[in-house]
C-alpha cells in the first residue's frame, strides 16, 4: 500500500514537471508577443460590447419608427361648464355638461414620412461604432511600444553577457599561464592576484547583468502572462535593408477618416430634421360625457382618425449654421490627419541619417575591436614571457572589452532605430 502511494506521488510529480516544461516558452517572436498582449489587455475586449451596443441602438431606432399604441386615461373637475336652456317650444334646447369628465382611450400614431430621419440616425450610429472600434485599433497599436522596449532591453543585456563571457575565457587562459610562471618562480604572486581580482570584477558585473536580464524577462512574463525560459530566444520580424522605407499604415489614419464620416453623418441628420414629416393617428375610447357630442351628456364610445403634417419652412439659418460648423469640424479633422502624416514623413531624412551614422560607427568599432584584440594577443605572449605586468595586460583587456561593448551597443542601437521607425509607420 505504501509502495503504491509512492508510485502515485511520483507519477503526479512527473506529470506536473512535464506540464510545467510544456508551459515554458523557449522561443518568442515580437509579433507573437503583440498578439498575446492584445488578447489579454482588458480595454481591447470592448470590441464585442461596442458592436452589441450599436445593434441595440439600431434596434431602438427601428422601434421608434414603428406605430405607437398607448392606453391613456384622464379625468378633470371644472369650476364651470356649458349650460344652455331654451323655453321656445319650436326650438327646445337643454344642454348641461357635467363638471366632471372622464376619458379612457387607445391612441395609435405612426410617422408615415420622416424626411429620412431614421436612415440618418442609423447611419450616425454605424459611423460612431466604427470610430470607436478604430480607436481600439489605435490603443492596440500603442501597446506594442511596451513589448518593443522589453525586447530591446533583453537583447542589449544579453549582448553584454556574451562579451563578458569572452573576457572571462581570456582571463582564464592567462591565469593558467601566469600560475605556471609563479610555480616556476619566474613571475610574482601579485601578477596572478591582479588577474584574479579582474576576474572577480567581471564576475560581479556579469552577476549584475544577469539580475537585470532576469528582471526584464520577468517583466515580459508579467506583461504577457507567460512562463518564459531564462534562455528564451527572442526574434524580430524581418525589416530588410536599412534603405527600405515602409509605407505609412497607421490606424490613426483610418480613425481620422471615420471621425470625418461621423461628422458628415451628423450633417445628414440636421438636414433630415428640417424636411417635411407626415403622421397619421387614431383614437378610440369611452368618455363621460361624450367628448365629441355636446348634446350627449352620458357615457359614450367615440373614435377619431386623422393625419398631421409639419414642415419647418423658416429656421432663421439654424440648419445652415449647424452644417457649416460640422463642415469646419470635418476640415479640421482632415488637417489633423495631414499633419499626422506630415510629421511621420519628416522623420524619413532623420532616419536615413541616423542609420548611416550608426552603420559608420559599427564599421569603426569593428576596426578598433580588431586592433585591440591583436594588441591583447601580443600582450598575452609578453605576459607569459614576463615582459609586462598583469596590470598592463588587464588595462589592455579593459580596452579590448570596451571596444567590443561599443560595437554591441551600436548594433542594438541600429536594431532599435529600425524597430522604432518601422513601428512608427505601422510596418508590421
Amino acid at each position: 500500500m505504501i509502495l503504491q502511494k509512492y508510485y502515485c506521488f511520483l507519477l503526479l510529480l512527473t506529470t506536473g514537471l512535464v506540464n510545467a516544461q510544456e508551459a515554458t516558452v523557449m522561443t518568442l517572436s515580437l509579433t507573437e508577443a503583440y498578439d498575446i498582449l492584445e488578447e489579454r489587455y482588458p480595454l481591447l475586449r470592448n470590441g464585442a460590447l461596442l458592436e452589441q451596443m450599436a445593434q441595440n441602438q439600431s434596434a431602438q431606432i427601428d422601434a421608434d419608427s414603428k406605430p405607437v399604441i398607448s392606453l391613456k386615461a384622464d379625468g378633470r373637475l371644472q369650476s364651470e361648464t356649458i349650460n344652455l336652456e331654451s323655453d321656445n317650444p319650436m326650438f327646445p334646447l337643454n344642454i348641461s355638461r357635467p363638471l366632471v369628465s372622464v376619458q379612457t382611450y387607445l391612441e395609435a400614431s405612426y410617422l408615415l414620412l420622416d424626411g429620412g430621419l431614421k436612415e440618418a440616425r442609423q447611419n450616425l450610429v454605424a459611423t460612431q461604432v466604427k470610430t470607436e472600434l478604430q480607436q481600439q485599433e489605435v490603443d492596440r497599436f500603442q501597446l506594442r511600444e511596451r513589448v518593443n522596449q522589453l525586447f530591446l532591453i533583453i537583447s542589449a543585456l544579453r549582448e553584454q553577457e556574451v562579451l563578458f563571457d569572452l573576457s572571462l575565457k581570456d582571463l582564464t587562459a592567462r591565469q593558467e599561464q601566469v600560475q605556471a610562471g609563479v610555480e616556476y618562480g619566474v613571475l610574482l604572486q601579485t601578477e596572478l592576484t591582479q588577474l584574479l581580482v579582474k576576474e572577480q570584477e567581471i564576475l560581479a558585473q556579469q552577476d549584475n547583468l544577469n539580475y537585470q536580464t532576469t528582471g526584464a524577462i520577468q517583466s515580459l512574463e508579467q506583461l504577457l502572462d507567460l512562463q518564459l525560459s531564462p534562455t528564451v530566444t527572442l526574434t524580430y520580424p524581418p525589416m530588410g535593408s536599412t534603405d527600405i522605407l515602409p509605407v505609412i499604415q497607421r490606424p490613426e489614419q483610418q480613425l481620422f477618416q471615420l471621425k470625418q464620416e461621423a461628422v458628415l453623418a451628423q450633417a445628414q441628420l440636421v438636414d433630415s430634421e428640417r424636411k417635411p414629416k407626415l403622421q397619421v393617428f387614431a383614437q378610440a375610447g369611452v368618455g363621460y360625457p361624450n367628448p365629441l357630442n355636446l348634446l350627449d351628456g352620458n357615457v359614450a364610445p367615440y373614435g377619431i382618425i386623422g393625419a398631421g403634417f409639419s414642415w419647418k419652412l423658416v429656421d432663421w439659418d439654424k440648419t445652415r449654421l449647424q452644417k457649416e460648423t460640422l463642415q469646419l469640424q470635418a476640415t479640421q479633422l482632415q488637417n489633423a490627419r495631414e499633419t499626422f502624416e506630415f510629421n511621420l514623413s519628416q522623420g524619413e531624412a532623420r532616419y536615413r541619417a541616423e542609420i548611416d551614422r550608426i552603420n559608420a560607427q559599427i564599421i569603426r568599432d569593428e576596426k578598433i575591436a580588431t586592433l585591440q584584440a591583436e594588441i591583447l594577443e601580443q600582450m598575452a605572449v609578453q605576459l607569459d614571457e614576463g615582459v609586462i605586468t598583469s596590470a598592463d595586460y588587464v588595462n589592455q583587456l579593459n580596452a579590448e572589452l570596451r571596444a567590443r561593448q561599443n560595437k554591441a551597443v551600436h548594433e542594438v542601437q541600429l536594431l532599435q532605430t529600425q524597430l522604432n521607425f518601422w513601428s512608427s509607420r505601422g510596418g508590421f
Side-chain angles (χ1 to χ4, degrees):
M1 185 66 178
I2 296 177
L3 186 60
Q4 189 176 20
K5 290 183 178 180
Y6 172 76
Y7 282 136
C8 290
F9 172 77
L10 186 60
L11 180 61
L12 289 173
L13 181 61
T14 304
T15 304
L17 291 174
V18 170
N19 290 337
Q21 290 175 355
E22 290 177 352
T24 301
V25 177
M26 304 301 296
T27 302
L28 180 66
S29 69
L30 188 64
T31 52
E32 287 175 343
Y34 289 162
D35 294 338
I36 293 171
L37 178 58
E38 290 165 6
E39 285 180 3
R40 68 182 302 264
Y41 194 67
L43 184 62
L44 299 182
R45 300 173 192 162
N46 288 339
L49 299 178
L50 291 172
E51 291 178 352
Q52 184 62 49
M53 290 168 60
Q55 291 177 6
N56 290 346
Q57 290 176 350
S58 179
Q60 289 175 21
I61 294 172
D62 284 336
D64 289 340
S65 66
K66 293 179 180 179
V68 178
I69 301 176
S70 307
L71 175 63
K72 297 183 179 181
D74 63 71
R76 67 185 71 174
L77 174 63
Q78 302 174 191
S79 61
E80 291 183 274
T81 187
I82 298 174
N83 286 294
L84 295 176
E85 295 183 5
S86 175
D87 297 332
N88 190 332
M90 297 182 62
F91 301 100
L93 183 64
N94 185 5
I95 301 175
S96 179
R97 304 288 288 183
L99 295 176
V100 176
S101 62
V102 179
Q103 287 179 249
T104 300
Y105 56 93
L106 282 174
E107 186 176 66
S109 62
Y110 179 58
L111 189 60
L112 194 62
L113 179 65
D114 67 352
L117 184 62
K118 174 184 174 182
E119 181 182 356
R121 291 176 64 191
Q122 293 280 24
N123 188 35
L124 180 59
V125 169
T127 54
Q128 285 177 341
V129 73
K130 287 180 181 178
T131 302
E132 292 173 346
L133 288 172
Q134 188 62 26
Q135 179 62 54
Q136 280 205 311
E137 293 301 314
V138 174
D139 296 336
R140 184 194 308 273
F141 182 84
Q142 293 173 349
L143 275 178
R144 298 180 176 184
E145 182 61 26
R146 302 185 190 181
V147 180
N148 290 350
Q149 290 178 354
L150 288 173
F151 263 61
L152 289 169
I153 289 172
I154 295 171
S155 297
L157 291 172
R158 283 179 169 174
E159 288 290 337
Q160 297 297 319
E161 290 176 3
V162 171
L163 297 180
F164 282 131
D165 286 336
L166 293 175
S167 296
L168 286 173
K169 289 179 181 179
D170 289 340
L171 274 176
T172 300
R174 296 285 69 76
Q175 287 173 10
E176 293 176 356
Q177 296 295 329
V178 173
Q179 178 68 39
V182 171
E183 291 176 355
Y184 287 109
V186 178
L187 298 175
L188 298 175
Q189 180 65 36
T190 55
E191 302 296 331
L192 178 61
T193 303
Q194 288 180 348
L195 294 180
L196 293 173
V197 170
K198 181 59 181 177
E199 181 184 38
Q200 292 303 312
E201 291 175 352
I202 292 179
L203 286 172
Q205 292 175 334
Q206 196 175 47
D207 288 341
N208 184 43
L209 278 178
N210 289 335
Y211 284 122
Q212 292 182 45
T213 304
T214 300
I217 291 176
Q218 289 176 349
S219 297
L220 187 59
E221 285 180 331
Q222 184 177 10
L223 184 64
L224 304 180
D225 193 24
L226 289 179
Q227 181 66 41
L228 300 177
S229 168
T231 58
V232 60
T233 302
L234 303 180
T235 61
Y236 296 86
M239 289 175 281
S241 171
T242 54
D243 295 332
I244 298 176
L245 295 178
V247 179
I248 300 176
Q249 295 178 334
R250 286 285 293 268
E252 288 89 344
Q253 295 171 291
Q254 183 67 17
L255 179 62
F256 285 126
Q257 178 65 34
L258 290 172
K259 284 183 176 181
Q260 283 182 279
E261 292 178 6
V263 170
L264 297 177
Q266 293 181 50
Q268 181 185 0
L269 184 62
V270 170
D271 267 339
S272 64
E273 288 177 347
R274 191 182 174 186
K275 292 180 179 179
K277 295 174 179 58
L278 177 64
Q279 184 181 29
V280 293
F281 62 90
Q283 190 180 108
V286 177
Y288 168 78
N290 191 324
L292 303 182
N293 188 351
L294 292 177
L295 301 178
D296 186 1
N298 300 314
V299 176
Y302 71 96
I304 302 174
I305 296 177
F309 178 80
S310 65
W311 188 3
K312 190 182 292 184
L313 295 176
V314 179
D315 67 351
W316 311 107
D317 275 347
K318 177 182 176 182
T319 299
R320 182 185 65 80
L321 291 173
Q322 286 179 321
K323 291 176 64 177
E324 184 177 322
T325 300
L326 291 171
Q327 185 59 50
L328 291 173
Q329 292 179 4
T331 304
Q332 187 180 33
L333 288 168
Q334 178 62 29
N335 293 337
R337 174 178 177 172
E338 292 177 1
T339 301
F340 177 77
E341 294 175 347
F342 176 82
N343 290 335
L344 286 178
S345 63
Q346 291 304 300
E348 294 177 3
R350 185 169 58 252
Y351 167 73
R352 291 183 185 275
E354 185 68 7
I355 289 295
D356 292 341
R357 181 191 71 80
I358 298 175
N359 278 327
Q361 188 63 56
I362 290 174
I363 294 173
R364 187 70 62 187
D365 291 338
E366 177 63 30
K367 292 180 179 179
I368 294 173
T370 300
L371 293 174
Q372 294 286 17
E374 292 176 359
I375 295 173
L376 183 64
E377 190 175 334
Q378 295 172 7
M379 294 187 72
V381 176
Q382 293 174 350
L383 178 63
D384 295 341
E385 295 175 351
V387 177
I388 62 172
T389 64
S390 295
D392 297 328
Y393 178 81
V394 168
N395 288 335
Q396 181 57 34
L397 180 67
N398 289 335
E400 193 263 349
L401 177 59
R402 282 195 300 271
R404 287 188 281 115
Q405 285 177 331
N406 288 336
K407 180 187 175 185
V409 168
H410 289 132
E411 287 174 342
V412 173
Q413 283 182 354
L414 179 64
L415 175 61
Q416 181 178 11
T417 302
Q418 282 187 279
L419 184 61
N420 289 342
F421 183 75
W422 277 67
S423 180
S424 68
R425 296 171 72 93
F428 46 79

